[in-house]
Amino acid sequence: MTFDIASPPRQGGEARYDPAGDMTDSTGLLEVRDLAVHFHSAEGTFKAVDGVSLTIRKGETLGIVGESGCGKSVTALAVMGLIPRPPGEIAAGQILFEGEDLARKSASELRQIRGNRISMIFQEPMTSLNPVHTVGDQIAEGIMLHQKVGKAEARMRAVEMLKLVRIPAPERRIDDYPHQLSGGMRQRVMIAIALACQPRLLIADEPTTALDVTIQAQILELMRDLRDRTGTAIMMITHDLGVIAELAHRVVVMYSGRVAEEASVADLFNDPQHPYTLGLLGSIPKLHVEEERLATIEGTVPNPYSMPTGCRFNPRCPFAIERCRVEAPPLREVRPGHRSACWRAPLEEHVL
Ligand SMILES: Nc1ncnc2c1ncn2[C@@H]1O[C@H](COP(=O)(O)OP(=O)(O)OP(=O)(O)O)[C@@H](O)[C@H]1O
Ligand SMILES: [Mg+2]
């Protein structure tokens, strides 16, 4: 399947997102700086996220992509204040959301923010919805909690939300229980819950992976439409490069708890600057992603308790040189607005 990446993702009606803007703009809605999340066990300390920095600006959709276990969900859970403690902890870094450091907030302060200014949708809607409450009650609950409105008003707004996510006959569906809805409908309800309090940031962790392909496309289309209408910024976590191409403005590629590369969608697909990204793209410079899935790369992700020295990707990297085995490469700008953590970047003389 091919994607037309010449045309950038549709923007919201207002000029909320400026693709030509300064990438280092400090007015980001969310700025994660040098985040480290550790999990402690009898075997030792596992650095699931090890110095991740990323920025999401107002109205922007940032894609986060990378193989299983690279720390995508842990990054998202840290932003949500949902790292289980113990065994986990935010060991270092800042999570600046609208200027406030969420890494320093108390559990009750974070509860005020979650579901209100930041919402999250997960992969499997059935496990996130409560089977014993109607979908209407579950949407209304968040509205009542955060917006201090009465039951009747919250119910009215819940119907509005079901309409917004295009559930047919919302006045009737509002009294359904989750099991009465199809998988796609349940994910629409999750989106309705997430958007009910008009969050500034929506974190979507593999929101379509559990759905069949037709429904996936519908949900993505819905998310893009809602994004464009509401101006909500989105952190879109996915394995699926097709989803990135469809929805994201910029992409962060993670490898083994770190950022390997960060670029606009077009730059990442047209001019990848990290060998790991080349691997994900199947080394095909044009955006032609087989079955929309990541290509398989030789080797496996490193054992978390014995990380390779130097660049963590070096044992799998066809371009590795001595320096890569010794010294960890910092994330640096190798093209305007395009960062790579690779000693050999820019890559054009090594590849193609
Ligand atoms: N509660 C936990 N306790 C211990 N280790 C954890 C915990 N949660 C996550 N991890 C570990 O942190 C690492 C990163 O996990 P994470 O869930 O962020 O990966 P991911 O990139 O989201 O992968 P996937 O694509 O499979 O969802 C994994 O090795 C995982 O086992
Ligand atoms: Mg995950």
Side-chain angles (χ1 to χ4, degrees):
M1 184 167 179
T2 49
F3 301 92
D4 176 17
I5 53 164
S7 55
R10 278 182 274 153
Q11 308 296 324
E14 295 149 63
R16 291 170 187 278
Y17 172 72
D18 172 16
D22 179 4
M23 299 290 281
T24 60
D25 189 336
S26 61
T27 60
L29 178 71
L30 177 75
E31 279 186 61
V32 174
R33 291 190 190 153
D34 297 318
L35 178 69
V37 181
H38 295 177
F39 290 102
H40 303 284
S41 73
E43 287 164 281
T45 297
F46 170 34
K47 299 176 179 178
V49 170
D50 193 16
V52 162
S53 296
L54 53 87
T55 299
I56 303 181
R57 286 176 290 173
K58 284 182 200 159
E60 182 180 52
T61 300
L62 179 76
I64 300 188
V65 71
E67 281 165 299
S68 191
C70 69
K72 304 181 297 293
S73 295
V74 169
T75 301
L77 292 173
V79 174
M80 291 291 284
L82 290 175
I83 297 293
R85 215 183 129 169
E89 64 161 333
I90 294 181
Q94 292 176 304
I95 301 169
L96 299 171
F97 178 68
E98 299 187 311
E100 296 174 89
D101 189 359
L102 302 185
R104 303 279 167 279
K105 295 253 177 234
S106 69
S108 70
E109 288 172 313
L110 288 166
R111 264 196 301 276
Q112 285 300 314
I113 294 171
R114 262 200 311 272
N116 191 17
R117 287 155 66 199
I118 307 181
S119 296
M120 186 157 176
I121 45 178
F122 299 89
Q123 177 173 338
E124 191 22 87
M126 202 52 203
T127 56
S128 337
L129 286 171
N130 189 329
V132 302
H133 293 292
T134 65
V135 298
D137 283 351
Q138 294 184 62
I139 302 171
E141 184 188 298
I143 298 172
M144 287 193 288
L145 178 69
H146 293 296
Q147 314 225 317
K148 312 279 176 260
V149 300
K151 226 177 161 159
E153 159 104 32
R155 185 180 163 91
M156 241 165 57
R157 288 216 218 153
V159 173
E160 287 301 311
M161 290 312 299
L162 290 180
K163 238 181 243 166
L164 187 73
V165 298
R166 298 188 213 135
I167 289 189
E171 293 85 358
R172 196 158 44 81
R173 286 300 194 173
I174 191 167
D175 294 316
D176 277 0
Y177 288 88
H179 72 266
Q180 293 173 279
L181 301 172
S182 67
M185 288 294 163
R186 285 199 289 261
Q187 195 57 299
R188 285 170 194 265
V189 169
M190 287 309 300
I191 295 172
I193 292 173
L195 294 181
C197 294
Q198 299 167 319
R200 310 294 303 276
L201 175 65
L202 174 67
I203 300 179
D205 192 352
E206 306 271 5
T208 59
T209 315
L211 305 170
D212 76 46
V213 177
T214 328
I215 309 297
Q216 277 187 17
Q218 290 171 8
I219 295 288
L220 280 184
E221 170 57 32
L222 174 70
M223 286 188 65
R224 186 164 55 191
D225 179 50
L226 294 175
R227 189 264 314 269
D228 291 350
R229 282 204 274 159
T230 60
T232 303
I234 302 178
M235 179 192 283
M236 173 60 93
I237 296 172
T238 179
H239 281 91
D240 189 330
L241 290 167
V243 170
I244 296 282
E246 285 286 319
L247 211 66
H249 300 115
R250 273 188 315 121
V251 197
V252 161
V253 179
M254 285 185 68
Y255 186 75
S256 188
R258 292 184 175 162
V259 175
E261 183 167 3
E262 186 209 323
S264 71
V265 168
D267 287 350
L268 190 96
F269 285 115
N270 290 327
D271 187 26
Q273 287 298 328
H274 195 288
Y276 178 59
T277 312
L278 284 174
L280 295 183
L281 292 168
S283 299
I284 301 166
K286 291 266 180 296
L287 181 58
H288 184 90
V289 186
E290 205 176 324
E291 294 179 335
E292 303 178 45
R293 301 295 295 183
L294 305 184
T296 312
I297 303 173
E298 282 289 297
T300 51
V301 288
N303 175 344
Y305 297 103
S306 61
M307 286 292 176
T309 53
C311 174
R312 289 184 178 173
F313 189 60
N314 91 70
R316 301 167 78 185
C317 182
F319 311 115
I321 50 173
E322 192 48 32
R323 187 178 196 185
C324 307
R325 287 182 261 277
V326 180
E327 210 181 332
L331 192 66
R332 66 194 162 87
E333 195 157 46
V334 294
R335 302 250 194 268
H338 192 152
R339 287 185 255 274
S340 166
C342 175
W343 290 124
R344 305 217 63 188
L347 285 176
E348 70 260 280
E349 62 265 39
H350 311 299
V351 206
L352 312 176

